[in-house]
Amino acid sequence: MSLVTLLPFIVLIGAMFLMTRSAKKKQQQAASMRNEMQPGTGVRTIGGMYATVKEVNDDTVLLDAGPGVELLFAKNAIGAVLSDDEYNRIVHGIEYDLKSDADVVPDDASSLTETDAPADASSDDKSVDLGKKAEEPAGETADEPTVDAAAEAKTDERAKKSDGGSEAK
């Protein structure tokens, strides 16, 4: 056999070796993480439940999920061991401000409308009219209807007639 015919088999065996090696590393990291659990640490189970470790045995873990609620889990059911800050942030909603001097960005736009100076009651704020104003053609007054107004009146009459027919059906 030549090297060209053996090359696909060699590549396949090498890929399988690399995949199993990375999977073993992940399993070893997860096992070491589970073995490092101590009573009082916060954990997340593979089902997504957050609890505090109360007791660690060889193959099981006793978790405190709330006042008077103790649950017995297999060690393999622990998905992650959380740091104290992360556990308190997720479970209790306690945020730790790492940058106390930094500006706080508000969640709403209220800070965009506030001003530093107090609003003065005698300020001459004028209301803004955002409606379009049609310019009158030269020589016509506002009392005389224009050609556009007559055309609009005819289309309104046609619409009323067609609406009545559709209601009868």
Side-chain angles (χ1 to χ4, degrees):
M1 292 187 127
S2 69
L3 184 63
V4 175
T5 57
L6 291 177
L7 187 63
F9 294 112
I10 294 171
V11 170
L12 183 62
I13 291 171
M16 290 174 56
F17 174 74
L18 291 176
M19 289 191 314
T20 58
R21 183 177 171 202
S22 66
K24 283 183 183 180
K25 278 187 177 181
K26 287 181 183 179
Q27 287 176 350
Q28 287 175 351
Q29 287 175 350
S32 68
M33 179 237 354
R34 291 182 185 119
N35 290 332
E36 292 174 3
M37 283 188 298
Q38 297 177 357
T41 58
V43 295
R44 183 184 67 233
T45 64
I46 57 175
M49 183 183 72
Y50 292 92
T52 306
V53 177
K54 190 168 185 178
E55 184 180 315
V56 179
N57 298 322
D58 292 336
D59 294 332
T60 60
V61 178
L62 185 65
L63 299 179
D64 183 18
V69 180
E70 294 179 353
L71 304 168
L72 186 64
F73 276 86
K75 271 191 176 179
N76 292 339
I78 303 301
V81 176
L82 307 172
S83 67
D84 290 338
D85 292 341
E86 185 177 9
Y87 180 77
N88 288 331
R89 181 183 59 82
I90 294 169
V91 176
H92 303 294
I94 300 172
E95 294 284 338
Y96 291 101
D97 190 15
L98 299 176
K99 299 177 183 176
S100 61
D101 296 336
D103 292 334
V104 176
V105 178
D107 291 338
D108 58 357
S110 64
S111 66
L112 298 176
T113 59
E114 295 175 1
T115 59
D116 293 337
D120 194 9
S122 64
S123 66
D124 55 338
D125 290 336
K126 296 181 181 179
S127 62
V128 178
D129 184 19
L130 298 176
K132 290 185 177 180
K133 294 183 180 180
E135 294 183 20
E136 296 180 16
E140 292 187 10
T141 62
D143 296 334
E144 298 176 4
T146 60
V147 178
D148 294 335
E152 288 176 0
K154 287 181 183 178
T155 56
D156 288 343
E157 288 176 19
R158 289 179 190 158
K160 288 179 184 176
K161 289 179 183 177
S162 66
D163 288 342
S166 64
E167 290 176 5
K169 290 181 183 178

